[in-house]
Amino acid sequence: MSFFTRKNPSSSLLRLVAGTMLLGLAAGCASQPKADQPKAAAFWPSYPDEPRIQYLRSIEKSTDIQPPKSKLEDLALGKEAEEVLPLRLPYGVKMWHGRIYVCDTGTSTVSIFDLAKKQTFVLGKSDADSMLKPSDIDIAPDGTKYVADNGRREIFVYGADDRFISAFALKDIKPVAVAVYQDELFVCDSLGKRVVVLNRRDGKLLRTIGGPGPKKGQFVLPISVAVDAEGNIYVMDVLKCLLQKFDHDGKLLMSFGQLADNVGGMVRPKQIAVDKQGIIYVVDSAIQNVQLFDQSGRLLTFFGAPGNHLGAMNTPVGISIHQGDIDLFKEWIHPAFEPEYLILVTNQAGPSKVAVYAMGKLKAGKTVADIRAAEGIVGAGISAGTDSGNKLLGAQTLPSDDKPRVFGPTPAPPATSK
């Protein structure tokens, strides 16, 4: 595991004196933001429907969570070399205990962004765990991490402390995605057109699901796998534009999806996720959004769209749902919005390489007017209401140019990557 951060001065005395100097200067000259200054915020679905999803923030490189030194620090401490870890072609993403783990096929590593400690690490750079094309990661409740390396055709295993444990060499298997359920590891095999089930402790083969073919229960190119709380398996076939759901033993339960750019259609579906309510999330890198479906395959709503607005997506590929750690994003959450869990999406183009959204609802006693109180940009959108269980319902249209509603000061377009 490698560590990226600024190099510290060699003299602790210099650091102490400089730090005291910085505190004094900061107290005397730092300008405080106005307490009532509103922040821009993007929501889905669009006004006048109640918001259910808010875009929070994005990460492109290590300095996004450990900011570069200020000119004041350069003056006090001297200008120093700074290591910056960029994300190039992120794919699979997971969050665990305040850390975001991103499979980066562009750097052949897994980048770890520790939001609490504001530090960045990488996995896959030592001789033992040198990666080639890490495409997906899943994390067991005990903290064990499983990384699918599509290039090396191996599953790399790391402990709760992020130290390398072992690698499962997979004969005649090309892993593109992984999902953990209890003591089993489900591996999406793009070579054998199937899902391979392994014992996650020792990597031994337990059984397989599906196989090559055009029929239901078969695959042309399986690209993503997810498991729900009951142990049901969901597999996305990118060439069929079809999601298939199997029970734990591999019996086909249902399927939905079709090649189309209209409501509920798919063009280039990539990763999938399933939340505790059973809502299915499908990332489409061609439509450039995330669509939400119920267990019958009915479209509920969607979020994201191409562009430069807040929450825009540019070739999105990866997604994961995360419970907890909402406090790490509290400065971005609108005061009238009550977040319930986080949604992480990776983009292979643009500056928002890892975009973080929150699923939630209006706080008790709040209305859309409380969010709309600050003048801002209001975009067109999809119509969606809520039922008594707060599940998303009622999507009717899916315009390809949809934008979120943005409240607050008009944000400047994000800087493009260099």
Side-chain angles (χ1 to χ4, degrees), residues 127-267:
D127 291 337
D129 66 332
S130 178
M131 296 182 188
L132 186 60
K133 196 176 180 181
S135 56
D136 197 22
I137 181 172
D138 202 7
I139 305 175
D142 62 8
T144 305
K145 289 97 185 171
Y146 299 88
V147 180
D149 191 317
N150 186 250
R152 292 204 179 277
R153 300 190 181 185
E154 292 183 311
I155 304 293
F156 289 92
V157 185
Y158 298 85
D161 58 359
D162 295 330
R163 295 185 182 276
F164 175 68
I165 296 176
S166 64
F168 301 153
L170 307 174
K171 186 179 180 180
D172 300 324
I173 295 175
K174 197 170 184 180
V176 291
V178 288
V180 176
Y181 181 75
Q182 297 180 353
D183 283 334
E184 295 181 335
L185 182 67
F186 295 83
V187 181
C188 213
D189 174 19
S190 63
L191 181 64
K193 321 298 183 187
R194 57 185 177 169
V195 172
V196 176
V197 187
L198 308 177
N199 182 312
R200 77 175 181 94
R201 306 293 182 181
D202 56 22
K204 290 183 178 179
L205 177 65
L206 300 177
R207 62 188 183 279
T208 62
I209 298 172
K215 298 179 180 179
K216 289 187 176 181
Q218 296 179 325
F219 306 108
V220 176
L221 185 58
I223 197 169
S224 181
V225 60
V227 184
D228 66 19
E230 285 72 44
N232 299 307
I233 303 103
Y234 301 76
V235 185
M236 175 55 70
D237 193 314
V238 63
L239 293 185
K240 282 186 173 182
C241 289
L242 185 70
L243 183 140
Q244 301 186 81
K245 176 184 176 181
F246 302 84
D247 68 12
H248 190 72
D249 296 322
K251 178 184 176 182
L252 182 65
L253 299 177
M254 68 94 174
S255 64
F256 68 86
Q258 60 179 335
L259 176 60
D261 60 359
N262 56 11
V263 177
M266 304 174 191
V267 178

Side-chain angles (χ1 to χ4, degrees), residues 95-114:
M95 191 169 181
W96 188 76
H97 287 199
R99 290 183 169 188
I100 298 177
Y101 295 75
V102 188
C103 293
D104 192 341
T105 59
T107 61
S108 300
T109 61
V110 174
S111 299
I112 307 173
F113 297 93
D114 190 324

Side-chain angles (χ1 to χ4, degrees), residues 278 403 413:
K403 301 295 187 294

Side-chain angles (χ1 to χ4, degrees), residues 44-91:
W44 287 267
S46 292
Y47 181 81
D49 294 312
E50 291 188 5
R52 296 304 312 276
I53 300 168
Q54 181 191 345
Y55 165 75
L56 301 180
R57 67 164 301 185
S58 64
I59 298 171
E60 182 185 11
K61 53 188 179 300
S62 56
T63 49
D64 290 334
I65 67 164
Q66 47 186 74
K69 290 189 306 177
S70 66
K71 291 183 179 180
L72 189 59
E73 288 178 300
D74 284 339
L75 177 65
L77 302 174
K79 193 169 183 178
E80 296 177 317
E82 183 176 40
E83 293 181 283
V84 177
L85 173 68
L87 288 170
R88 301 195 185 282
L89 289 173
Y91 214 103

